[in-house]
Amino acid sequence: MRTTAFLLMMLATGDVSAQQKPTTGYAPVNGVKMYYEVHGTGAPVVLLHGAFMTITNNWDGWIGELSKTRKVIAIEMQGHGRTADTKRDITYENLADDVAALLKELEIPRADLIGYSMGGTVAMQCAIRHPDKVRKVVVISSVFRRDGMVQEAIDAFPKLTADAFKGSPIEVEYKKLSPTPDDFPKFVKRLLASASSGYDLGADKLKATPAPMFFIHGDADGIRLEHVAEMYRLKGGGAHGDMRARSESRLAILPHTTHVTLMKRMSIIVPMVNDFLDAKHK
């Protein structure tokens, strides 16, 4: 079976650009010492990285652009980067609760969330479980139910091992940043087990979230287009905007764009994200 596109999805990274020195720290949240960085000033927005990734290899360039007008809080979730793993299961519920606990720890009553891949699913789950903490959500190439991925991606998960990442930037960053650099194979196995489970955030729960959501996808990003349409419709999309009120949620599908190359389209995506976050919300 061809898994090239899927592996590229997992191995994607960019060169890490120099950023203005942020405020950094570790927040005690639900038994996890979560690493975070704060860049810039303004309305708070939390960045949630993809599976296996870190702040450095997920948000290259993005932080610099977003922090021109916002307080950007970039975090590394359980087991990722500088945040050590624990015996606790890595689930979307647990990761979402950690985000909410971090906001409380930083005394931020409410924030916008931007999540890529796994981080987008965490962002949706946080909006479901902690609606009072979330103002708006940007979901980049993510699903709310496991079958939202194309079958090729679903089939590839059980066959992946740590060997697939050997020498990759993802393995290099893990060994460079993790407090347990030799545990990469164990971490990969744990995360793949979590990704292979039959998770479903719940269509009714997603629909009921008050936070407007902006769904951003590529036309070849490994997410079923039917699933993308389902998410957008659940958040009020699909109406004829010239005949009745439009949804406060939004949808963008970038042409000739994959899961990996979406993050390279920052010059297109960031202005759309800023416009969405700046729009007045009822």
Side-chain angles (χ1 to χ4, degrees):
M1 182 185 69
R2 294 182 60 191
T3 59
T4 304
F6 179 75
L7 289 173
L8 281 173
M9 172 183 85
M10 310 311 298
L11 301 176
T13 186
D15 295 329
V16 179
S17 301
Q19 303 279 2
Q20 187 174 358
K21 192 172 181 180
T23 300
T24 66
Y26 289 86
V29 295
N30 304 321
V32 175
K33 288 181 63 178
M34 179 184 283
Y35 176 79
Y36 68 90
E37 299 179 356
V38 180
H39 301 251
T41 59
V45 58
V46 180
L47 302 186
L48 304 173
H49 58 74
F52 304 104
M53 303 187 82
T54 63
I55 293 169
T56 47
N57 63 21
N58 197 146
W59 302 111
D60 176 40
W62 290 67
I63 290 175
E65 287 299 311
L66 290 166
S67 63
K68 289 177 179 178
T69 56
R70 307 180 194 285
K71 176 188 283 188
V72 175
I73 302 131
I75 71 173
E76 288 173 343
M77 292 180 275
Q78 179 183 343
H80 293 76
R82 285 148 283 207
T83 300
D85 200 1
T86 71
K87 292 182 180 179
R88 185 187 71 168
D89 289 342
I90 301 176
T91 66
Y92 291 113
E93 291 87 353
N94 286 339
L95 298 179
D97 290 350
D98 290 347
V99 174
L102 174 70
L103 291 174
K104 183 178 180 180
E105 180 74 16
L106 297 180
E107 298 182 344
I108 298 174
R110 206 162 171 234
D112 298 319
L113 307 180
I114 302 176
Y116 169 66
S117 193
M118 179 188 80
T121 306
V122 174
M124 288 186 279
Q125 183 69 283
C126 192
I128 290 170
R129 293 173 69 84
H130 304 279
D132 58 319
K133 292 287 187 183
V134 180
R135 193 184 75 102
K136 292 186 178 183
V137 178
V138 177
V139 178
I140 305 175
S141 194
S142 308
V143 298
F144 78 89
R145 194 174 56 235
R146 185 169 180 261
D147 69 1
M149 293 183 288
V150 298
Q151 193 61 44
E152 182 180 11
I154 293 173
D155 292 342
F157 271 111
K159 300 178 182 180
L160 278 178
T161 67
D163 290 341
F165 301 91
K166 196 161 185 66
S168 73
I170 281 179
E171 183 189 54
V172 170
E173 281 294 284
Y174 181 92
K175 291 185 174 181
K176 175 184 174 183
L177 299 177
S178 176
T180 56
D182 296 329
D183 284 355
F184 185 67
K186 178 182 176 182
F187 170 62
V188 170
K189 186 178 292 186
R190 274 172 53 74
L191 205 56
L192 287 174
S194 176
S196 298
S197 64
Y199 61 85
D200 182 349
L201 306 189
D204 290 344
K205 292 178 180 178
L206 184 62
K207 183 178 181 178
T209 55
M213 297 186 182
F214 186 7
F215 301 99
I216 302 174
H217 289 264
D219 59 358
D221 71 354
I223 310 298
R224 293 189 300 107
L225 293 176
E226 297 87 352
H227 189 76
V228 175
E230 181 181 1
M231 289 189 289
Y232 184 47
R233 288 192 181 106
L234 287 170
K235 294 300 296 176
H240 194 316
D242 292 319
M243 300 180 70
R244 58 188 176 98
R246 289 173 289 173
S247 169
E248 292 180 327
S249 292
R250 300 185 185 184
L251 170 65
I253 298 180
L254 278 65
H256 200 59
T257 303
T258 71
H259 189 77
V260 170
T261 60
L262 261 173
M263 299 309 291
K264 310 293 185 183
R265 309 293 293 275
M266 183 186 69
S267 62
I268 296 172
I269 295 174
V270 168
M272 293 193 297
V273 167
N274 280 329
D275 185 68
F276 169 66
L277 297 181
D278 289 340
K280 290 185 178 180
H281 173 34
K282 294 176 183 176

